[in-house]
């Protein structure tokens, strides 16, 4: 089966733009002169060494972090679906999380997990009991259940097996 993401249309062409962006931790500048524009239908990859500020740039683009400064514009009404880099901090029981989130269609969620080679039973386990790779798949599957204008995935291929990696790369392309 193919993985799919449901990308919502937005009235504006430019969804996010950053100019004169910089990431600072305290008085240390990690990167500067960050600039990019994300338009509808575009894919954008941040590539760089560990610790160079990629996650902060992503969080700043979501409007979630003060680490990214500069001229950051997010079109009004843009909805995001995001997957974080660190999967060890996710500690909520899966069913509860989904029950709370009316957006997530359980049938679709299970179908996506099956596509990613995850056993159905995984659905009933708490995230604490899973491997890093399984947690990452759960978070990606969950993101794919959410219709959004912009999907922001931080290190989506970390901990992911080759089979699912190929699927995800195909999906992103």
């Amino acid at each position: 089966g193919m993985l799919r993401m449901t990308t919502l249309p937005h009235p504006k062409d430019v969804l996010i733009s950053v100019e004169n962006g910089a990431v600072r931790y305290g008085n240390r500048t990690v990167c500067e002169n960050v600039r990019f524009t994300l338009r509808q239908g575009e894919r954008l990859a941040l590539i760089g060494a560990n610790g160079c500020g990629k996650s902060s740039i992503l969080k700043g683009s979501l409007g979630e972090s003060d680490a990214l400064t500069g001229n950051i514009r997010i079109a009004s009404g843009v909805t995001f679906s995001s997957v974080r880099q660190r999967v060890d901090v996710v500690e909520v029981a899966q069913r509860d999380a989904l029950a709370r989130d009316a957006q997530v269609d359980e049938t679709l969620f299970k179908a996506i997990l099956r596509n990613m080679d995850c056993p159905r039973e995984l659905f009933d386990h708490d995230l604490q009991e899973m491997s890093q790779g399984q947690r990452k798949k759960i978070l990606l599957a969950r993101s794919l259940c959410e219709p959004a204008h912009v999907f922001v995935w931080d290190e989506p291929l970390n901990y992911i097996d080759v089979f699912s990696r190929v699927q995800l790369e195909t999906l992103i392309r």
Side-chain angles (χ1 to χ4, degrees), residues 32-52:
E32 48 195 351
N33 303 323
V34 177
R35 50 184 305 217
F36 63 87
T37 302
L38 180 73
R39 295 186 155 79
Q40 283 197 71
E42 286 184 335
R43 292 150 199 75
L44 189 80
L46 292 184
I47 298 166
N50 282 342
C52 75

Side-chain angles (χ1 to χ4, degrees), residues 91-102 123 125-126 142:
E91 286 180 352
V92 18
Q94 194 47 39
R95 276 203 180 279
D96 299 348
L98 286 166
R100 269 206 314 277
D101 193 347
F123 189 75
H125 290 222
D126 283 2
R142 203 188 147 88

Side-chain angles (χ1 to χ4, degrees), residues 22-32 34 49-54 56:
V23 174
R24 293 187 185 85
Y25 304 134
N27 52 11
R28 191 166 66 94
T29 300
V30 185
C31 64
E32 48 195 351
V34 177
N50 282 342
C52 75
K54 296 186 300 293
S56 296

Side-chain angles (χ1 to χ4, degrees), residues 81-85 87 136 139-141 143 152-156:
S81 176
S82 65
V83 173
R84 315 208 169 290
Q85 180 180 349
V87 287
K136 197 74 172 195
L139 296 176
L140 286 162
S143 175
V152 180
W153 291 353
D154 195 344
E155 301 265 6

Side-chain angles (χ1 to χ4, degrees), residues 65-117:
S65 164
D66 304 334
L68 178 68
T69 59
N71 189 359
I72 303 157
R73 286 198 298 271
I74 301 171
S76 65
V78 166
T79 56
F80 294 100
S81 176
S82 65
V83 173
R84 315 208 169 290
Q85 180 180 349
R86 303 260 317 268
V87 287
D88 49 332
V89 290
V90 185
E91 286 180 352
V92 18
Q94 194 47 39
R95 276 203 180 279
D96 299 348
L98 286 166
R100 269 206 314 277
D101 193 347
Q103 282 281 8
V104 174
D105 171 337
E106 194 171 315
T107 317
L108 177 62
F109 183 79
K110 285 179 167 167
I112 292 169
L113 281 182
R114 267 200 309 281
N115 276 348
M116 287 204 272
D117 225 24

Side-chain angles (χ1 to χ4, degrees), residues 52-65:
C52 75
K54 296 186 300 293
S55 291
S56 296
I57 292 170
L58 289 180
K59 286 185 196 130
S61 306
L62 287 162
E64 281 180 6
S65 164

